[in-house]
């Protein structure tokens, strides 16, 4: 069955308010299935399930325990299916910056006085700040200021035997650029035994993640970025990695993922499985007994093809307006920009303040986000957002249509 966007829109009750939401990068819409699951989970988290009368090999082992514990366990399995891993490799936490800081703290046995780590300007500032807490020398990769892309070749100069951690995002949150993860991992493997940590939060809403294909050591994901509950997870390549970490609790008896495990709300955790089920059912399964991972890969594969077509139209039609400048795409310096981008972009209109563009879109029922020069990250500043007077960012979601893109183009054209 082909991707049916009309059916997908019906899974989001928030779309009935009349707005055209093009801000999935900043505030993704929450599917009704997820909000209902979270509501139920908060009600039932403290309840105790009735004991099973006929106990067998698959009966509950912990009698009298609250239901909330099963919600957390199901969340770990859901994240495992989302990235193509196993549940024992998943660590849950309240947010990705907290998990990054915890990972750095747990890596203390791996860090020596001469250790180094590598960050980059495409990572979210809060994640970079968490990584920099490590007692190690910091080296920084650089992005191409014309395209906003992260060249893999530079890691040959940044990585050496002292490198212990390399942090990078799979995609930029607002520019839409996709990092060459596999190529960077290959550079790291040739020169050190450093752990490569990838933030997939801006990539996962548009593509099924294949952990093995990337070859990374740790993959982080913010479930809220996919329209799920506000919680996050880290997934490691191999459970043997936990043996090299220090327990955050100080209890040396703790093993495996429990060394990093942080408290998460059972009520929120109850929405994680619903989120993955929602993504797996965007394209209904035609019978059979396929696993959730298989259904997820199939469903998101068709969603990717659909959104890639919308992305192409978005870039093409917006880019043909002569007064519009798309960061990382427009201009001679961006002539070699890769077409492998997520359905997100940031743009400005020559001679028109970004705030005016944002307000005109809002007056026409289109919700985007505004980045002023004062709010810009150092990368966006270096790419010229200050000279543009700010930028408006557009991020597509699985429910957006061709009509949404056309409406955006019409309004921008009235200013350009």
């Amino acid at each position: 069955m082909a991707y049916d966007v009309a059916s997908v829109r019906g899974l989001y009750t928030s779309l009935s308010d009349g707005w055209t939401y093009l801000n999935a990068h900043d505030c993704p819409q929450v599917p009704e299935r997820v909000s209902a699951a979270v509501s139920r989970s908060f009600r039932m988290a403290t309840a105790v399930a009735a004991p099973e009368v006929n106990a067998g090999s698959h009966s509950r082992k912990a009698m009298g325990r609250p239901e909330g514990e099963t919600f957390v366990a199901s969340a770990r399995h859901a994240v495992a299916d989302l990235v193509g891993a196993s549940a024992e490799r998943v660590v849950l936490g309240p947010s990705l910056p907290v998990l990054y800081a915890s990972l750095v703290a747990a890596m203390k046995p791996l860090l020596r006085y001469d250790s180094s780590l590598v960050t980059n300007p495409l990572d979210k500032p809060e994640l970079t700040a968490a990584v920099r807490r490590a007692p190690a020398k910091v080296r920084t990769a650089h992005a191409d200021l014309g395209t906003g892309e992260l060249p893999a070749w530079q890691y040959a100069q940044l990585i050496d035997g002292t490198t212990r951690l390399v942090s990078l995002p799979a995609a930029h949150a607002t520019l839409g650029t996709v990092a060459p993860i596999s190529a960077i991992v290959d550079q790291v493997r040739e020169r050190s035994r450093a752990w490569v940590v990838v933030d997939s939060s801006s990539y996962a809403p548009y593509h099924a993640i294949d952990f093995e294909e990337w070859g990374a050591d740790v993959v982080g994901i913010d479930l809220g970025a996919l329209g799920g509950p506000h919680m996050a997870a880290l997934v490691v390549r191999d459970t043997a990695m936990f043996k090299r970490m220090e327990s955050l609790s100080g209890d040396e008896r703790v093993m495996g993922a429990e060394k990093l495990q942080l408290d998460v709300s059972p009520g929120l955790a109850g929405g994680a499985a619903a989120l993955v089920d929602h993504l797996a059912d965007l394209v209904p399964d035609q019978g059979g007994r396929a696993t959730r991972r298989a259904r997820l890969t199939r469903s998101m594969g068709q969603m990717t093809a659909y959104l890639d077509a919308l992305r192409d139209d978005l870039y093409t039609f917006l880019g043909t307006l002569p007064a519009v400048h798309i960061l990382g795409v427009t201009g001679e310096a961006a002539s070699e920009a890769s077409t492998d981008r997520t359905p997100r972009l940031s743009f400005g209109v020559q001679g028109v303040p970004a705030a005016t563009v944002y307000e005109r879109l809002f007056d026409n029922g289109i919700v985007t986000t505004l980045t002023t020069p004062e709010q810009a990250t150092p990368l966006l500043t270096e790419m010229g957002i200050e000279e543009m007077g700010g930028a408006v960012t557009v991020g597509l979601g699985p429910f957006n249509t061709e009509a949404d893109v056309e409406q955006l183009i019409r309004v921008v054209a009235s200013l350009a």
Side-chain angles (χ1 to χ4, degrees), residues 18-288:
W19 292 99
T20 298
Y21 290 103
L22 298 178
N23 63 338
H25 59 285
D26 179 61
C27 186
Q29 299 302 301
V30 179
E32 176 62 23
R33 186 173 191 169
V34 174
S35 59
V38 170
S39 177
R40 178 189 177 277
S41 298
F42 271 106
R43 291 197 308 270
M44 301 300 296
T46 57
V48 175
E52 297 181 12
V53 177
N54 298 317
S57 59
H58 297 286
S59 62
R60 295 176 184 269
K61 301 298 182 183
M63 297 179 59
R65 303 303 301 166
E67 283 285 289
E69 291 186 3
T70 65
F71 299 156
V72 173
S74 68
R76 294 177 68 177
H77 283 278
V79 171
D81 285 341
L82 188 61
V83 304
S86 52
E88 65 270 15
R89 294 153 56 187
V90 177
V91 179
L92 301 177
S95 71
L96 211 50
V98 170
L99 281 170
Y100 268 48
S102 299
L103 176 64
V104 168
M107 288 180 62
K108 182 179 178 181
L110 302 178
L111 301 175
R112 301 193 300 268
Y113 73 94
D114 62 342
S115 296
S116 65
L117 54 89
V118 180
T119 62
N120 68 86
L122 272 71
D123 252 332
K124 295 178 181 177
E126 56 270 28
L127 296 183
T128 300
V131 171
R132 285 176 174 267
R133 294 183 183 182
K137 179 181 178 180
V138 178
R139 298 170 182 166
T140 304
H142 296 284
D144 186 308
L145 298 184
T147 64
E149 297 170 2
L150 190 66
W153 56 262
Q154 63 183 312
Y155 283 84
Q157 286 77 47
L158 294 169
I159 305 297
D160 60 26
T162 69
T163 308
R164 294 292 176 266
L165 183 67
V166 178
S167 173
L168 64 153
H172 192 274
T174 59
L175 295 176
T177 53
V178 175
I181 302 297
S182 298
I184 293 175
V185 169
D186 289 342
Q187 295 278 8
V188 174
R189 295 285 182 262
E190 291 178 5
R191 293 165 177 82
S192 79
R193 300 175 64 185
W195 289 357
V196 180
V197 184
V198 178
D199 172 19
S200 66
S201 304
S202 297
Y203 181 90
Y206 306 110
H207 300 272
I209 299 173
D210 188 333
F211 201 113
E212 299 304 322
E213 180 180 347
W214 278 349
D217 297 284
V218 184
V219 171
I221 186 166
D222 179 357
L223 297 184
L226 283 76
H230 284 262
M231 58 184 293
L234 292 181
V235 187
V236 301
R237 170 178 45 82
D238 192 328
T239 54
M241 294 171 62
F242 292 122
K243 297 179 180 179
R244 305 182 66 188
M245 299 183 194
E246 187 175 81
S247 173
L248 295 180
S249 66
D251 186 351
E252 297 303 324
R253 296 171 298 177
V254 173
M255 303 297 289
E258 297 301 321
K259 286 188 173 183
L260 280 177
Q261 199 69 46
L262 301 170
D263 289 335
V264 294
S265 165
L268 292 178
L275 170 66
V276 178
D277 287 336
H278 163 78
L279 295 173
D281 294 337
L282 289 176
V283 178
D285 188 18
Q286 299 298 301

